[in-house]
């Protein structure tokens, strides 16, 4: 039987991939990639862009697609056997990618290509080579002897620790539950009760967000809220199972990053992280965050004072904030998230989203057939003028064995292969919404709708690119602090009346969202925006300070405590261990980069202001955004894309205005 991971067909056969396929396939593909690397670095191999691409990209792209499929299944369909197979191959994969990134002979070839072909190459290829030279240096290509060996060891150990961190968060989330009776769940919405009901009449309450959040917002039982909050904010910490404690992993991950920075000649890992980003120094980032924090603080203090006044002397601990905030929002704006939720069924929202994309970017979207990893996953094609331009998988619902959160990932990128064949991009769009219950369609909160639009923005950036060179097509090569621009840009559609008319239809009557309710939602849009902005700044400053000051990883808790003392207006309880499940920076790509959410939010708000000025569905504005941002991918610097679209440098005014803090 053919190993599905070795297939050269267009799409991975996700349903056929089994744990026993991983080791033989990845071993074979690694060997092929190593052989290609050896061939590319031979002295007699011409230092020519097309030659290197033909030899290297063909082998490494096949390997990357297969390993990407394994990693994806590890994130969305985790089993003990698959986890074991993934972890068994992770060291070899890390070793190869580290060795390739630091290969002196390949580094020399790239420099020779720049010297020989230089400005005669296309702009995307020049950009790709510029990035490649930079990345070789950041990957240790200039290191020698023991330093080189130590750098490789750091990469392997870091990959192992980050995978371990992610597993601990997943296991701690899946591993906690509490069976509550109906009386304990007074106030909790009916759809949550239906989704958690057990055969014996009890309700299984878990830490998965579609259950956790509504219980925290609506449960009248304060003891239950405290129990759930304690479990959630101490996940993967010393308060839980020792096997899931991320304390030591956090310290070692950051210590290894600082050691890597020192080997590369940088003062801190934050400087290494910022080398390929828009922001240039840790000081520039902290100044940006501090300035935004000062602007937001008066609004946050006002938010908290209003909440305390509304609670009328009732306790206001961390497990009370969501509850009283929801009550205040209902009292002030006379609606609740649960009322709104009845108007947003998943099928209607998805159809409305597709309609907007089709209208704005001149494409058609239709469901197609492909092998999927779960029965609820759907597969779609994008076409323009009848021609296939991209495909994507949509995985909407939370389940056991699926990593929390929402994300876009790439199955493969747009690429004009050396054979002349045009490869179209394929994306995975993953969310964790509450599943359908009792034969009815799944209901989405308005925040869920925003999340879906956000991830689809990433997907559009990946799928609508017109760049044909791997490494700068789609989101590849885009500065990390600009990569959120298209995703945050798309969120704005969720606040447009005409758009919400397309997205909404009451689950019982099919009636669209009433104008009165929309007006209340709009009035409440910036409810507690000061508190939420300070919370994001708290996370971003913690991340930057943790990585900008070598040695502080010895007491991670002190770093977060100091940041909270400086920034927060509502200090969490001493037992809070948020950092132990902060996967973005300890197991994702956001180390010394979490600030990029706010940085890119400035860009996206300013970009959206062009649509506000010229018309949300103005064809010329949509085409300009498509041409200058989405199609360009990483082929130009992000600031060049922005200025080409907006006609000027970015300004902070739109961000403050959008968040009610002008």
């Amino acid at each position: 039987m053919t190993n599905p991971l070795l297939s050269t067909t267009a799409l991975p056969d996700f349903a056929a991939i089994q744990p026993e396929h991983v080791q033989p396939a990845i071993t074979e593909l690694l060997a092929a990639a190593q052989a290609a690397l050896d061939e590319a670095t031979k002295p007699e191999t011409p230092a020519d862009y097309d030659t290197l691409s033909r030899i290297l990209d063909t082998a490494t792209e096949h390997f990357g697609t297969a390993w990407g499929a394994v990693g994806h299944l590890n994130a969305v369909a985790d089993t003990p056997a698959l986890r074991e197979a993934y972890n068994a191959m992770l060291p070899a994969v890390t070793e190869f990618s580290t060795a390739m990134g630091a290969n002196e002979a390949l580094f020399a070839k790239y420099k020779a290509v720049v010297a020989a072909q230089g400005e005669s190459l296309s702009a995307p290829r020049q950009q790709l080579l510029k990035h490649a030279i930079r990345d070789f240096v950041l990957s240790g290509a200039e290191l020698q002897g023991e330093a080189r060996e130590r750098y490789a060891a750091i990469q392997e150990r870091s990959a192992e620790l980050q995978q371990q961190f992610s597993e601990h968060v997943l296991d701690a989330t899946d591993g906690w539950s509490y069976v509550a009776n109906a009386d304990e769940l007074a106030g909790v919405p009916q759809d949550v009760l239906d989704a958690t009901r057990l055969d014996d009449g009890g309700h299984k309450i878990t830490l998965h967000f579609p259950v956790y959040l509504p219980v925290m917002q609506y449960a009248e039982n304060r003891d239950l809220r405290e129990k759930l909050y304690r479990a959630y904010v101490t996940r993967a910490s010393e308060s839980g199972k020792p096997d899931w404690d991320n304390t030591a992993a956090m310290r070692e991950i950051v210590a290894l990053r600082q050691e890597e920075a020192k080997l590369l000649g940088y003062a801190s890992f934050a400087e290494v992280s910022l080398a390929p980003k828009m922001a240039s120094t840790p000081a520039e980032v902290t100044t940006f965050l501090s300035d935004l924090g000062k602007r937001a603080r008066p609004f946050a203090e006002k938010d908290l004072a209003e909440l305390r006044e509304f609670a009328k002397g009732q306790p206001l601990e961390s497990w009370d904030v969501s509850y009283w905030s929801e009550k205040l929002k209902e009292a002030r704006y006379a609606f609740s998230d649960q009322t709104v939720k009845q108007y947003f069924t998943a099928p209607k929202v998805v159809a409305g989203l597709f309609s907007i994309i089709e209208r704005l970017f001149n494409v058609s979207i239709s469901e197609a057939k492909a092998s999927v990893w779960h029965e609820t996953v759907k597969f779609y094609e994008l076409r323009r003028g009848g021609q296939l331009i991209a495909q994507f998988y949509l995985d909407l619902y939370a389940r056991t064995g699926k990593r929390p959160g929402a994300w876009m990932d790439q199955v493969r990128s747009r690429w004009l292969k050396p054979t002349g064949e045009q490869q179209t991009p394929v994306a995975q769009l993953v969310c964790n919404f509450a599943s359908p219950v009792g034969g009815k369609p799944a209901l989405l909160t308005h925040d869920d709708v925003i999340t879906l639009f956000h991830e689809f923005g990433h997907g559009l950036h990946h799928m609508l690119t017109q760049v044909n060179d791997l490494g700068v097509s789609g989101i590849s090569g885009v500065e990390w602090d600009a990569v959120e621009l298209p995703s945050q840009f798309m969120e704005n559609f969720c606040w447009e009346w005409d758009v919400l008319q397309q997205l909404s239809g009451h689950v019982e009557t099919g009636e669209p969202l009433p104008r009165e309710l929309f007006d209340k939602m709009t009035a409440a849009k910036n409810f507690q925006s000061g508190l939420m902005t300070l919370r994001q700044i708290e996370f971003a400053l913690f991340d930057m300070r943790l990585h900008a000051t070598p040695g502080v990883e010895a007491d991670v808790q002190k770093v977060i405590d100091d940041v909270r003392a400086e920034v927060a207006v509502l200090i969490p309880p001493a037992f809070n261990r948020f950092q132990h499940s902060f996967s973005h920076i300890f197991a994702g790509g956001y180390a010394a980069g979490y600030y990029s959410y706010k940085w890119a939010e400035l860009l996206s708000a300013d970009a959206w202001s062009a649509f506000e000025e010229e018309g949300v569905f103005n064809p010329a504005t949509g085409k300009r955004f498509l041409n200058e941002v989405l199609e360009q991918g990483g082929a130009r610097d992000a600031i060049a894309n922005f200025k080409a679209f907006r006609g000027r440098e970015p300004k902070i005014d739109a961000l403050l205005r959008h968040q009610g803090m002008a």
Side-chain angles (χ1 to χ4, degrees), residues 52-53 58 76 81 101 172 223 269 284 297 371 400 406 433 436 451 536 582 598 618 630 632 657:
L52 290 181
S53 177
T58 304
V76 297
D223 290 340
F269 182 78
E284 183 183 1
R297 189 173 186 88
S371 172
T400 300
F433 302 147
T451 296
Q536 286 295 98
F582 196 5
K598 300 311 290 184
N618 184 312
L630 298 178
Q632 293 295 329
R657 176 170 52 82

Side-chain angles (χ1 to χ4, degrees), residues 168-184:
H168 288 176
V169 175
L170 176 60
D171 290 344
T173 303
D174 284 348
W176 190 93
S177 64
Y178 171 71
V179 177
N181 59 45
D183 291 342
E184 289 178 284

Side-chain angles (χ1 to χ4, degrees), residues 161-171 246 403 583 587:
L161 286 166
Q162 290 180 67
Q163 171 64 9
Q164 181 187 105
F165 186 98
S166 182
E167 288 176 1
H168 288 176
V169 175
L170 176 60
D171 290 344
N246 272 333
R403 179 159 60 85
S583 296

Side-chain angles (χ1 to χ4, degrees), residues 519-532:
D519 289 341
K520 291 175 181 177
M521 290 166 61
T522 304
K525 177 184 177 185
N526 291 317
F527 178 66
Q528 296 185 342
S529 66
L531 281 173
M532 286 188 280

Side-chain angles (χ1 to χ4, degrees), residues 595-631:
Y595 76 90
S596 60
Y597 280 104
K598 300 311 290 184
W599 187 280
E601 205 171 332
L602 186 158
L603 300 175
S604 66
D606 201 358
W608 180 255
S609 66
F611 284 78
E612 292 176 313
E613 294 162 10
E614 301 167 22
V616 170
F617 286 106
N618 184 312
T621 314
K623 189 172 190 304
R624 196 166 76 247
F625 188 74
L626 173 67
N627 295 158
E628 303 296 355
V629 178
L630 298 178
E631 290 184 347

